[in-house]
């Protein structure tokens, strides 16, 4: 393939990834609206619920890193979410200074209800691709994310 064709292919792929990101952001915005939350608050709730579901609940500091907010802004956000019953802060570790964040109320159920249908559709699409290709794409996306993460956390970012 000619260099200009490769460049055009890479650009189409990046545009597709940007479009996917936009669609995911719109889904998140709609979920926030359904819960009556600001989109940043909903993103935080989703991060907390997803981490809890993976068995690796977040601390406030880790949440702050994940959603790119200062510690003060994260504290204000958690205060709002806790007051609304969307998040529970607890001290589960033997070191009682460590705070663990858990989704409160019906958040996990509401997230599963809301995101379940599009997740099912996406899974059906991915089922058409061989596992080897999905593994390569998983590596590719991880490399893209690591590159941007390095940029954003480095001196240039």
């Amino acid at each position: 393939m000619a260099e200009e064709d490769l460049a055009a292919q890479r650009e189409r792929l990046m545009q597709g990834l940007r479009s996917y990101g936009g669609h995911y952001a719109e889904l998140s915005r709609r979920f926030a609206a359904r819960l009556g939350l600001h989109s940043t608050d909903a993103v935080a709730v989703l991060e907390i619920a997803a981490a809890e579901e993976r068995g690796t609940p977040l601390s406030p500091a880790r949440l702050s890193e994940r959603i790119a907010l200062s510690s003060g802004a994260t504290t204000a956000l958690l205060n709002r979410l806790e007051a609304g019953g969307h998040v529970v802060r607890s001290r589960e570790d033997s070191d009682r200074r460590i705070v663990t964040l858990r989704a409160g109320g019906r958040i996990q159920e509401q997230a599963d209800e809301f995101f379940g249908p599009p997740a099912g559709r996406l899974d059906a699409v991915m089922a058409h691709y061989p596992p080897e290709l999905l593994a390569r794409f998983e590596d590719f996306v991880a490399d893209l994310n690591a590159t941007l993460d390095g940029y954003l956390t480095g001196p240039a970012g």
Side-chain angles (χ1 to χ4, degrees), residues 128-139:
H128 293 290
Y129 294 90
E132 302 79 26
L133 181 59
L134 292 176
R136 290 185 68 201
F137 192 65
E138 188 176 7
D139 291 343

Side-chain angles (χ1 to χ4, degrees), residues 54-138:
R54 288 189 304 271
T56 56
L58 297 175
S59 66
R62 185 69 181 127
L63 175 65
S64 178
E65 293 169 7
R66 302 271 311 159
I67 62 174
L69 288 180
S70 69
S71 61
T74 300
T75 297
L77 175 142
L78 288 172
N79 288 342
R80 284 192 307 273
L81 292 176
E82 192 172 40
H86 301 295
V87 169
V88 175
R89 290 184 254 204
S90 61
R91 297 180 189 279
E92 303 167 9
D93 196 85
S94 58
D95 180 349
R96 303 294 290 162
R97 294 173 295 174
I98 298 175
V99 174
T100 300
L101 302 173
R102 302 266 181 200
R106 297 183 45 241
I107 291 295
Q108 190 63 54
E109 182 183 323
Q110 289 172 312
D112 291 346
E113 207 174 88
F114 184 85
F115 290 100
R121 289 181 182 194
L122 292 171
D123 190 58
V125 168
M126 288 189 289
H128 293 290
Y129 294 90
E132 302 79 26
L133 181 59
L134 292 176
R136 290 185 68 201
F137 192 65
E138 188 176 7

Side-chain angles (χ1 to χ4, degrees), residues 130-155:
E132 302 79 26
L133 181 59
L134 292 176
R136 290 185 68 201
F137 192 65
E138 188 176 7
D139 291 343
F140 171 70
V141 170
D143 288 346
L144 291 177
N145 282 317
T147 299
L148 285 180
D149 187 52
Y151 177 81
L152 291 170
T153 58

